[in-house]
Amino acid sequence: MFEFSGLSDDKELMPFFFMFFLLVYMVTIIGNLGMVAIVYAFSSLHTPMYFFLSSLSLVDLFYSSVITPNMLFNFFSARKSISFLGCALQLYFFCALASTEIILLSTMSYDRYVAICHPLHYTLIMTKKKCFGLVLFFTSLSFLQSIAHVCCVFSLPFCGSNFIDHFYCDIPPLLKLSCSTNSLRRQKAFSTCSSHIICVLTFFTAIFFTYLRPHSGAFEIQDKVASIFYTTMTPMLNPLIYSLRNQEVKRILVQAMQKSRWFR
């Protein structure tokens, strides 16, 4: 059994944190579900770009649900605990879905590259079968590589304290509880790839700060703040950045609202 420290020890801030992250989670759910529904409902959006957008929304939906509900529950829990198996599962799905999101962002970059540089051959290159195959292959690959992350971390001997100085099960705070050396695990903990600029800056800056800085106990609070961005904020921002700013999606939303009974 592990215990979390949470975001803060200040109990007066708990109601604010709860309301803020509940709002963020609700926007995340509504925004990503809305994007999937729009792409599914309108045949004009049945293109590779929107297929990848809807896939990204599904990943964000599950990705945020791995961390946020438990974090919300722990805001008012006297004992913020999680079982050994629960911690392993949380880390597994967190790593798997985070990797899937990274690869999806890169795949979306490839799709835009083909559309811009090879417009005449775009439909021949980015077929439905190929798009589905890319998403299925990379998702399977991400879930397989996540097994390696979890096995490496939980094969280490844990001794002494079971106190995780974080609000969820992540690799760096778990490594602190290990009795053995983990320098090799730290060297292979993270790798990056090119992606869309806005989400990359939000997503990777926080991860770089957490995983690639020199080890020091003085940055524990900053670690938690950085983790907030790639566990709760990025899944909320993705449908706004990639979807609601898209002119085609905005046009369809306006048409749908005009046709609905509410706006008659």
mmCIF file of all heavy atoms in Angstrom, residues 31-42 45-62 100-101 104 108 131-132 135 238-239 242-243 249:
data_model
loop_
_atom_site.group_PDB
_atom_site.id
_atom_site.type_symbol
_atom_site.label_atom_id
_atom_site.label_comp_id
_atom_site.label_asym_id
_atom_site.label_seq_id
_atom_site.Cartn_x
_atom_site.Cartn_y
_atom_site.Cartn_z
ATOM 1 N N GLY A 31 -15.403 18.383 -24.132
ATOM 2 C CA GLY A 31 -14.692 18.780 -25.345
ATOM 3 C C GLY A 31 -14.274 17.595 -26.185
ATOM 4 O O GLY A 31 -14.480 17.580 -27.411
ATOM 5 N N ASN A 32 -13.710 16.574 -25.562
ATOM 6 C CA ASN A 32 -13.227 15.423 -26.325
ATOM 7 C C ASN A 32 -14.360 14.533 -26.820
ATOM 8 O O ASN A 32 -14.322 14.052 -27.957
ATOM 9 C CB ASN A 32 -12.244 14.616 -25.477
ATOM 10 C CG ASN A 32 -10.908 15.312 -25.324
ATOM 11 O OD1 ASN A 32 -10.173 15.486 -26.278
ATOM 12 N ND2 ASN A 32 -10.581 15.722 -24.108
ATOM 13 N N LEU A 33 -15.388 14.318 -25.977
ATOM 14 C CA LEU A 33 -16.551 13.564 -26.440
ATOM 15 C C LEU A 33 -17.270 14.296 -27.570
ATOM 16 O O LEU A 33 -17.739 13.682 -28.535
ATOM 17 C CB LEU A 33 -17.515 13.320 -25.278
ATOM 18 C CG LEU A 33 -17.188 12.163 -24.332
ATOM 19 C CD1 LEU A 33 -18.224 12.089 -23.223
ATOM 20 C CD2 LEU A 33 -17.118 10.841 -25.080
ATOM 21 N N GLY A 34 -17.346 15.623 -27.436
ATOM 22 C CA GLY A 34 -17.977 16.426 -28.474
ATOM 23 C C GLY A 34 -17.252 16.316 -29.797
ATOM 24 O O GLY A 34 -17.876 16.219 -30.863
ATOM 25 N N MET A 35 -15.926 16.316 -29.744
ATOM 26 C CA MET A 35 -15.144 16.196 -30.976
ATOM 27 C C MET A 35 -15.352 14.857 -31.648
ATOM 28 O O MET A 35 -15.536 14.762 -32.865
ATOM 29 C CB MET A 35 -13.660 16.402 -30.646
ATOM 30 C CG MET A 35 -12.765 16.448 -31.886
ATOM 31 S SD MET A 35 -13.224 17.810 -32.966
ATOM 32 C CE MET A 35 -12.625 17.186 -34.537
ATOM 33 N N VAL A 36 -15.361 13.778 -30.857
ATOM 34 C CA VAL A 36 -15.590 12.443 -31.405
ATOM 35 C C VAL A 36 -16.977 12.355 -32.035
ATOM 36 O O VAL A 36 -17.146 11.810 -33.134
ATOM 37 C CB VAL A 36 -15.429 11.372 -30.312
ATOM 38 C CG1 VAL A 36 -15.829 9.994 -30.836
ATOM 39 C CG2 VAL A 36 -13.988 11.341 -29.813
ATOM 40 N N ALA A 37 -17.980 12.917 -31.352
ATOM 41 C CA ALA A 37 -19.358 12.872 -31.855
ATOM 42 C C ALA A 37 -19.505 13.660 -33.150
ATOM 43 O O ALA A 37 -20.184 13.213 -34.090
ATOM 44 C CB ALA A 37 -20.311 13.427 -30.787
ATOM 45 N N ILE A 38 -18.871 14.816 -33.226
ATOM 46 C CA ILE A 38 -18.960 15.644 -34.441
ATOM 47 C C ILE A 38 -18.336 14.936 -35.637
ATOM 48 O O ILE A 38 -18.903 14.896 -36.737
ATOM 49 C CB ILE A 38 -18.288 17.013 -34.204
ATOM 50 C CG1 ILE A 38 -19.126 17.860 -33.244
ATOM 51 C CG2 ILE A 38 -18.096 17.768 -35.516
ATOM 52 C CD1 ILE A 38 -18.447 19.140 -32.816
ATOM 53 N N VAL A 39 -17.146 14.373 -35.425
ATOM 54 C CA VAL A 39 -16.465 13.674 -36.516
ATOM 55 C C VAL A 39 -17.278 12.464 -36.976
ATOM 56 O O VAL A 39 -17.388 12.187 -38.177
ATOM 57 C CB VAL A 39 -15.049 13.248 -36.090
ATOM 58 C CG1 VAL A 39 -14.397 12.376 -37.156
ATOM 59 C CG2 VAL A 39 -14.182 14.475 -35.823
ATOM 60 N N TYR A 40 -17.873 11.764 -36.022
ATOM 61 C CA TYR A 40 -18.669 10.580 -36.363
ATOM 62 C C TYR A 40 -19.959 10.958 -37.091
ATOM 63 O O TYR A 40 -20.389 10.257 -38.015
ATOM 64 C CB TYR A 40 -19.000 9.799 -35.092
ATOM 65 C CG TYR A 40 -19.856 8.577 -35.328
ATOM 66 C CD1 TYR A 40 -19.287 7.389 -35.780
ATOM 67 C CD2 TYR A 40 -21.243 8.599 -35.101
ATOM 68 C CE1 TYR A 40 -20.067 6.260 -36.000
ATOM 69 C CE2 TYR A 40 -22.019 7.487 -35.324
ATOM 70 C CZ TYR A 40 -21.431 6.313 -35.775
ATOM 71 O OH TYR A 40 -22.216 5.205 -36.008
ATOM 72 N N ALA A 41 -20.573 12.064 -36.705
ATOM 73 C CA ALA A 41 -21.901 12.416 -37.208
ATOM 74 C C ALA A 41 -21.883 13.054 -38.585
ATOM 75 O O ALA A 41 -22.861 12.933 -39.341
ATOM 76 C CB ALA A 41 -22.600 13.352 -36.214
ATOM 77 N N PHE A 42 -20.811 13.739 -38.955
ATOM 78 C CA PHE A 42 -20.791 14.483 -40.216
ATOM 79 C C PHE A 42 -19.828 13.821 -41.191
ATOM 80 O O PHE A 42 -18.621 13.739 -40.948
ATOM 81 C CB PHE A 42 -20.383 15.933 -39.973
ATOM 82 C CG PHE A 42 -21.389 16.712 -39.179
ATOM 83 C CD1 PHE A 42 -21.308 16.776 -37.799
ATOM 84 C CD2 PHE A 42 -22.440 17.363 -39.812
ATOM 85 C CE1 PHE A 42 -22.239 17.488 -37.060
ATOM 86 C CE2 PHE A 42 -23.378 18.078 -39.092
ATOM 87 C CZ PHE A 42 -23.282 18.140 -37.704
ATOM 88 N N LEU A 45 -16.485 15.246 -42.470
ATOM 89 C CA LEU A 45 -15.300 15.185 -41.611
ATOM 90 C C LEU A 45 -14.667 13.796 -41.599
ATOM 91 O O LEU A 45 -13.752 13.556 -40.816
ATOM 92 C CB LEU A 45 -15.668 15.586 -40.178
ATOM 93 C CG LEU A 45 -16.203 16.998 -39.980
ATOM 94 C CD1 LEU A 45 -16.462 17.268 -38.503
ATOM 95 C CD2 LEU A 45 -15.244 18.039 -40.540
ATOM 96 N N HIS A 46 -15.140 12.913 -42.475
ATOM 97 C CA HIS A 46 -14.573 11.570 -42.538
ATOM 98 C C HIS A 46 -13.325 11.581 -43.416
ATOM 99 O O HIS A 46 -13.266 10.970 -44.486
ATOM 100 C CB HIS A 46 -15.611 10.577 -43.066
ATOM 101 C CG HIS A 46 -16.747 10.361 -42.131
ATOM 102 N ND1 HIS A 46 -17.847 9.564 -42.420
ATOM 103 C CD2 HIS A 46 -16.976 10.833 -40.870
ATOM 104 C CE1 HIS A 46 -18.687 9.559 -41.400
ATOM 105 N NE2 HIS A 46 -18.187 10.338 -40.458
ATOM 106 N N THR A 47 -12.328 12.298 -42.955
ATOM 107 C CA THR A 47 -11.048 12.429 -43.638
ATOM 108 C C THR A 47 -9.937 12.019 -42.677
ATOM 109 O O THR A 47 -10.156 11.943 -41.456
ATOM 110 C CB THR A 47 -10.819 13.880 -44.097
ATOM 111 O OG1 THR A 47 -10.771 14.738 -42.945
ATOM 112 C CG2 THR A 47 -11.936 14.345 -45.030
ATOM 113 N N PRO A 48 -8.727 11.740 -43.193
ATOM 114 C CA PRO A 48 -7.634 11.329 -42.304
ATOM 115 C C PRO A 48 -7.357 12.309 -41.177
ATOM 116 O O PRO A 48 -7.147 11.882 -40.029
ATOM 117 C CB PRO A 48 -6.441 11.231 -43.263
ATOM 118 C CG PRO A 48 -7.045 10.877 -44.574
ATOM 119 C CD PRO A 48 -8.343 11.620 -44.612
ATOM 120 N N MET A 49 -7.354 13.606 -41.476
ATOM 121 C CA MET A 49 -7.039 14.589 -40.443
ATOM 122 C C MET A 49 -8.020 14.507 -39.277
ATOM 123 O O MET A 49 -7.615 14.493 -38.104
ATOM 124 C CB MET A 49 -7.055 16.006 -41.024
ATOM 125 C CG MET A 49 -6.709 17.086 -39.996
ATOM 126 S SD MET A 49 -6.714 18.748 -40.677
ATOM 127 C CE MET A 49 -8.468 19.019 -40.895
ATOM 128 N N TYR A 50 -9.313 14.414 -39.572
ATOM 129 C CA TYR A 50 -10.311 14.364 -38.508
ATOM 130 C C TYR A 50 -10.379 12.997 -37.853
ATOM 131 O O TYR A 50 -10.782 12.883 -36.693
ATOM 132 C CB TYR A 50 -11.674 14.777 -39.064
ATOM 133 C CG TYR A 50 -11.718 16.238 -39.422
ATOM 134 C CD1 TYR A 50 -11.654 16.660 -40.746
ATOM 135 C CD2 TYR A 50 -11.778 17.213 -38.429
ATOM 136 C CE1 TYR A 50 -11.663 18.001 -41.073
ATOM 137 C CE2 TYR A 50 -11.784 18.556 -38.744
ATOM 138 C CZ TYR A 50 -11.727 18.941 -40.063
ATOM 139 O OH TYR A 50 -11.718 20.279 -40.378
ATOM 140 N N PHE A 51 -9.978 11.965 -38.583
ATOM 141 C CA PHE A 51 -9.871 10.647 -37.957
ATOM 142 C C PHE A 51 -8.795 10.669 -36.868
ATOM 143 O O PHE A 51 -8.999 10.149 -35.766
ATOM 144 C CB PHE A 51 -9.533 9.591 -39.009
ATOM 145 C CG PHE A 51 -9.201 8.251 -38.429
ATOM 146 C CD1 PHE A 51 -10.190 7.437 -37.887
ATOM 147 C CD2 PHE A 51 -7.885 7.796 -38.404
ATOM 148 C CE1 PHE A 51 -9.882 6.197 -37.338
ATOM 149 C CE2 PHE A 51 -7.572 6.554 -37.863
ATOM 150 C CZ PHE A 51 -8.567 5.756 -37.333
ATOM 151 N N PHE A 52 -7.661 11.301 -37.173
ATOM 152 C CA PHE A 52 -6.600 11.416 -36.174
ATOM 153 C C PHE A 52 -7.022 12.325 -35.022
ATOM 154 O O PHE A 52 -6.675 12.075 -33.856
ATOM 155 C CB PHE A 52 -5.327 11.947 -36.818
ATOM 156 C CG PHE A 52 -4.662 10.985 -37.757
ATOM 157 C CD1 PHE A 52 -4.280 11.371 -39.033
ATOM 158 C CD2 PHE A 52 -4.416 9.670 -37.376
ATOM 159 C CE1 PHE A 52 -3.668 10.485 -39.895
ATOM 160 C CE2 PHE A 52 -3.803 8.772 -38.225
ATOM 161 C CZ PHE A 52 -3.426 9.180 -39.499
ATOM 162 N N LEU A 53 -7.777 13.380 -35.325
ATOM 163 C CA LEU A 53 -8.265 14.266 -34.273
ATOM 164 C C LEU A 53 -9.206 13.539 -33.321
ATOM 165 O O LEU A 53 -9.126 13.704 -32.103
ATOM 166 C CB LEU A 53 -8.970 15.475 -34.885
ATOM 167 C CG LEU A 53 -8.096 16.603 -35.433
ATOM 168 C CD1 LEU A 53 -8.961 17.653 -36.125
ATOM 169 C CD2 LEU A 53 -7.287 17.238 -34.322
ATOM 170 N N SER A 54 -10.106 12.747 -33.876
ATOM 171 C CA SER A 54 -11.035 12.001 -33.023
ATOM 172 C C SER A 54 -10.297 10.934 -32.217
ATOM 173 O O SER A 54 -10.642 10.670 -31.054
ATOM 174 C CB SER A 54 -12.138 11.362 -33.867
ATOM 175 O OG SER A 54 -11.600 10.442 -34.803
ATOM 176 N N SER A 55 -9.265 10.341 -32.810
ATOM 177 C CA SER A 55 -8.455 9.363 -32.074
ATOM 178 C C SER A 55 -7.719 10.035 -30.930
ATOM 179 O O SER A 55 -7.635 9.491 -29.818
ATOM 180 C CB SER A 55 -7.450 8.694 -33.025
ATOM 181 O OG SER A 55 -8.106 8.006 -34.069
ATOM 182 N N LEU A 56 -7.190 11.230 -31.194
ATOM 183 C CA LEU A 56 -6.510 11.994 -30.144
ATOM 184 C C LEU A 56 -7.473 12.345 -29.018
ATOM 185 O O LEU A 56 -7.111 12.290 -27.834
ATOM 186 C CB LEU A 56 -5.901 13.266 -30.732
ATOM 187 C CG LEU A 56 -5.133 14.166 -29.768
ATOM 188 C CD1 LEU A 56 -3.877 13.477 -29.263
ATOM 189 C CD2 LEU A 56 -4.775 15.496 -30.444
ATOM 190 N N SER A 57 -8.702 12.684 -29.379
ATOM 191 C CA SER A 57 -9.706 13.014 -28.362
ATOM 192 C C SER A 57 -10.028 11.810 -27.485
ATOM 193 O O SER A 57 -10.190 11.940 -26.268
ATOM 194 C CB SER A 57 -10.985 13.534 -29.035
ATOM 195 O OG SER A 57 -10.764 14.788 -29.653
ATOM 196 N N LEU A 58 -10.125 10.632 -28.094
ATOM 197 C CA LEU A 58 -10.380 9.422 -27.310
ATOM 198 C C LEU A 58 -9.226 9.127 -26.351
ATOM 199 O O LEU A 58 -9.446 8.775 -25.190
ATOM 200 C CB LEU A 58 -10.593 8.229 -28.251
ATOM 201 C CG LEU A 58 -11.972 8.085 -28.885
ATOM 202 C CD1 LEU A 58 -11.967 6.913 -29.868
ATOM 203 C CD2 LEU A 58 -13.042 7.876 -27.822
ATOM 204 N N VAL A 59 -8.005 9.281 -26.853
ATOM 205 C CA VAL A 59 -6.834 9.064 -25.997
ATOM 206 C C VAL A 59 -6.834 10.053 -24.841
ATOM 207 O O VAL A 59 -6.587 9.688 -23.690
ATOM 208 C CB VAL A 59 -5.537 9.178 -26.821
ATOM 209 C CG1 VAL A 59 -4.316 9.164 -25.897
ATOM 210 C CG2 VAL A 59 -5.439 8.042 -27.824
ATOM 211 N N ASP A 60 -7.114 11.334 -25.132
ATOM 212 C CA ASP A 60 -7.151 12.353 -24.083
ATOM 213 C C ASP A 60 -8.230 12.056 -23.052
ATOM 214 O O ASP A 60 -8.064 12.315 -21.852
ATOM 215 C CB ASP A 60 -7.398 13.731 -24.691
ATOM 216 C CG ASP A 60 -6.150 14.320 -25.306
ATOM 217 O OD1 ASP A 60 -5.042 13.969 -24.848
ATOM 218 O OD2 ASP A 60 -6.260 15.130 -26.235
ATOM 219 N N LEU A 61 -9.348 11.522 -23.520
ATOM 220 C CA LEU A 61 -10.459 11.189 -22.625
ATOM 221 C C LEU A 61 -10.026 10.150 -21.597
ATOM 222 O O LEU A 61 -10.253 10.310 -20.386
ATOM 223 C CB LEU A 61 -11.632 10.667 -23.453
ATOM 224 C CG LEU A 61 -12.957 10.433 -22.741
ATOM 225 C CD1 LEU A 61 -13.524 11.734 -22.211
ATOM 226 C CD2 LEU A 61 -13.941 9.767 -23.686
ATOM 227 N N PHE A 62 -9.380 9.098 -22.052
ATOM 228 C CA PHE A 62 -8.915 8.047 -21.141
ATOM 229 C C PHE A 62 -7.690 8.500 -20.353
ATOM 230 O O PHE A 62 -7.534 8.154 -19.180
ATOM 231 C CB PHE A 62 -8.605 6.771 -21.925
ATOM 232 C CG PHE A 62 -9.818 6.121 -22.522
ATOM 233 C CD1 PHE A 62 -9.998 6.088 -23.891
ATOM 234 C CD2 PHE A 62 -10.789 5.548 -21.712
ATOM 235 C CE1 PHE A 62 -11.121 5.491 -24.447
ATOM 236 C CE2 PHE A 62 -11.909 4.941 -22.250
ATOM 237 C CZ PHE A 62 -12.080 4.923 -23.628
ATOM 238 N N THR A 100 0.965 6.974 -26.504
ATOM 239 C CA THR A 100 0.030 6.984 -27.630
ATOM 240 C C THR A 100 -0.243 8.407 -28.088
ATOM 241 O O THR A 100 -0.294 8.685 -29.297
ATOM 242 C CB THR A 100 -1.296 6.308 -27.229
ATOM 243 O OG1 THR A 100 -1.037 4.976 -26.773
ATOM 244 C CG2 THR A 100 -2.255 6.249 -28.407
ATOM 245 N N GLU A 101 -0.411 9.325 -27.140
ATOM 246 C CA GLU A 101 -0.656 10.724 -27.499
ATOM 247 C C GLU A 101 0.537 11.321 -28.240
ATOM 248 O O GLU A 101 0.370 12.033 -29.231
ATOM 249 C CB GLU A 101 -0.960 11.546 -26.251
ATOM 250 C CG GLU A 101 -1.098 13.028 -26.529
ATOM 251 C CD GLU A 101 -2.023 13.722 -25.561
ATOM 252 O OE1 GLU A 101 -2.864 13.052 -24.942
ATOM 253 O OE2 GLU A 101 -1.910 14.940 -25.445
ATOM 254 N N LEU A 104 0.557 9.886 -31.730
ATOM 255 C CA LEU A 104 -0.556 10.437 -32.516
ATOM 256 C C LEU A 104 -0.250 11.848 -32.993
ATOM 257 O O LEU A 104 -0.560 12.211 -34.137
ATOM 258 C CB LEU A 104 -1.844 10.429 -31.689
ATOM 259 C CG LEU A 104 -2.728 9.183 -31.790
ATOM 260 C CD1 LEU A 104 -3.936 9.320 -30.881
ATOM 261 C CD2 LEU A 104 -3.180 8.957 -33.229
ATOM 262 N N MET A 108 -0.075 12.957 -36.847
ATOM 263 C CA MET A 108 -0.798 14.106 -37.380
ATOM 264 C C MET A 108 0.144 15.037 -38.132
ATOM 265 O O MET A 108 -0.226 15.644 -39.145
ATOM 266 C CB MET A 108 -1.508 14.844 -36.243
ATOM 267 C CG MET A 108 -2.675 14.062 -35.658
ATOM 268 S SD MET A 108 -3.241 14.711 -34.066
ATOM 269 C CE MET A 108 -3.813 16.326 -34.555
ATOM 270 N N CYS A 131 -4.595 4.780 -42.332
ATOM 271 C CA CYS A 131 -4.807 5.595 -41.129
ATOM 272 C C CYS A 131 -5.202 4.730 -39.942
ATOM 273 O O CYS A 131 -4.666 4.883 -38.841
ATOM 274 C CB CYS A 131 -5.880 6.656 -41.389
ATOM 275 S SG CYS A 131 -5.397 7.911 -42.597
ATOM 276 N N PHE A 132 -6.146 3.816 -40.176
ATOM 277 C CA PHE A 132 -6.568 2.929 -39.097
ATOM 278 C C PHE A 132 -5.417 2.028 -38.654
ATOM 279 O O PHE A 132 -5.220 1.781 -37.459
ATOM 280 C CB PHE A 132 -7.756 2.078 -39.564
ATOM 281 C CG PHE A 132 -8.278 1.143 -38.512
ATOM 282 C CD1 PHE A 132 -9.117 1.599 -37.507
ATOM 283 C CD2 PHE A 132 -7.928 -0.207 -38.517
ATOM 284 C CE1 PHE A 132 -9.598 0.737 -36.529
ATOM 285 C CE2 PHE A 132 -8.404 -1.073 -37.552
ATOM 286 C CZ PHE A 132 -9.243 -0.594 -36.555
ATOM 287 N N VAL A 135 -2.902 4.020 -36.436
ATOM 288 C CA VAL A 135 -3.399 4.231 -35.072
ATOM 289 C C VAL A 135 -3.374 2.929 -34.283
ATOM 290 O O VAL A 135 -2.937 2.889 -33.123
ATOM 291 C CB VAL A 135 -4.827 4.822 -35.101
ATOM 292 C CG1 VAL A 135 -5.422 4.847 -33.703
ATOM 293 C CG2 VAL A 135 -4.806 6.225 -35.689
ATOM 294 N N ASN A 238 -6.260 20.101 -25.911
ATOM 295 C CA ASN A 238 -6.142 19.517 -27.245
ATOM 296 C C ASN A 238 -7.370 19.719 -28.126
ATOM 297 O O ASN A 238 -7.241 20.129 -29.283
ATOM 298 C CB ASN A 238 -5.800 18.024 -27.146
ATOM 299 C CG ASN A 238 -4.324 17.803 -26.937
ATOM 300 O OD1 ASN A 238 -3.513 18.682 -27.200
ATOM 301 N ND2 ASN A 238 -3.961 16.632 -26.457
ATOM 302 N N PRO A 239 -8.601 19.438 -27.628
ATOM 303 C CA PRO A 239 -9.759 19.682 -28.505
ATOM 304 C C PRO A 239 -9.941 21.153 -28.843
ATOM 305 O O PRO A 239 -10.456 21.488 -29.905
ATOM 306 C CB PRO A 239 -10.946 19.146 -27.682
ATOM 307 C CG PRO A 239 -10.474 19.121 -26.282
ATOM 308 C CD PRO A 239 -9.000 18.838 -26.352
ATOM 309 N N TYR A 242 -6.790 21.870 -31.474
ATOM 310 C CA TYR A 242 -6.850 21.171 -32.746
ATOM 311 C C TYR A 242 -8.235 21.140 -33.382
ATOM 312 O O TYR A 242 -8.357 20.865 -34.565
ATOM 313 C CB TYR A 242 -6.373 19.729 -32.577
ATOM 314 C CG TYR A 242 -4.897 19.618 -32.346
ATOM 315 C CD1 TYR A 242 -4.399 19.224 -31.115
ATOM 316 C CD2 TYR A 242 -3.994 19.919 -33.353
ATOM 317 C CE1 TYR A 242 -3.045 19.122 -30.894
ATOM 318 C CE2 TYR A 242 -2.635 19.827 -33.149
ATOM 319 C CZ TYR A 242 -2.163 19.423 -31.929
ATOM 320 O OH TYR A 242 -0.814 19.322 -31.706
ATOM 321 N N SER A 243 -9.266 21.406 -32.588
ATOM 322 C CA SER A 243 -10.612 21.193 -33.090
ATOM 323 C C SER A 243 -11.428 22.469 -33.182
ATOM 324 O O SER A 243 -11.849 22.884 -34.267
ATOM 325 C CB SER A 243 -11.344 20.185 -32.197
ATOM 326 O OG SER A 243 -10.565 19.028 -32.046
ATOM 327 N N VAL A 249 -14.754 22.686 -38.440
ATOM 328 C CA VAL A 249 -15.481 22.271 -37.241
ATOM 329 C C VAL A 249 -16.379 23.390 -36.744
ATOM 330 O O VAL A 249 -17.536 23.163 -36.352
ATOM 331 C CB VAL A 249 -14.490 21.845 -36.137
ATOM 332 C CG1 VAL A 249 -15.233 21.541 -34.843
ATOM 333 C CG2 VAL A 249 -13.701 20.626 -36.578
#
